[in-house]
Amino acid sequence: QVQLVESGGGLVQAGGSLRLSCAASGRTFSNYIIGWFRQAPGKEREFVARISRSGITIYYADSVKGRFTISRDNAKNTVYLQMNSLSPEDTAVYYCAAKTGSSTTVYDYWGQGTQVTVSS
């Protein structure tokens, strides 16, 4: 199993940047596909980005493509989400999640979330 803890959220002005971290504990972190999701007040959870076990294959939601960058450092058991050119529409609780298989959409483990607030 793996435990995930997000950090790096906070308050930032529109146009600014934040770097979120997803720190994992437990064995075989490199076996997990890691995704970032977010949930804004009154809205459903949405996919943000995903990174493969090796870090080679990456997917982004259209809403963040070109602005956000996901990366991972398996030696540090950490996945990052660099968020640039932030807008108020990016305000949400951001979660990282882990799954073992690329053939399933179900993520097995979730972090507690970190709040990102973008002011206008």
Side-chain angles (χ1 to χ4, degrees), residues 37-119:
F37 299 81
R38 66 186 183 186
Q39 187 166 22
K43 296 184 178 180
E44 298 295 320
R45 184 185 66 196
E46 65 174 335
F47 167 79
V48 175
R50 168 193 165 198
I51 189 166
S52 66
R53 298 172 181 88
S54 65
I56 295 174
T57 304
I58 292 172
Y59 299 95
Y60 296 101
D62 288 342
S63 59
V64 307
K65 193 174 300 181
R67 299 188 298 120
F68 290 12
T69 302
I70 188 172
S71 62
R72 70 188 297 163
D73 186 341
N74 288 340
K76 295 182 178 180
N77 283 12
T78 303
V79 172
Y80 304 97
L81 184 68
Q82 178 67 45
M83 306 186 296
N84 299 325
S85 301
L86 287 164
S87 70
E89 289 71 38
D90 296 313
T91 295
V93 177
Y94 284 71
Y95 301 89
C96 64
K99 65 178 181 177
T100 57
S102 60
S103 62
T104 179
T105 60
V106 177
Y107 283 79
D108 303 298
Y109 308 100
W110 292 81
Q112 85 289 347
T114 186
Q115 177 70 49
V116 172
T117 302
V118 184
S119 64

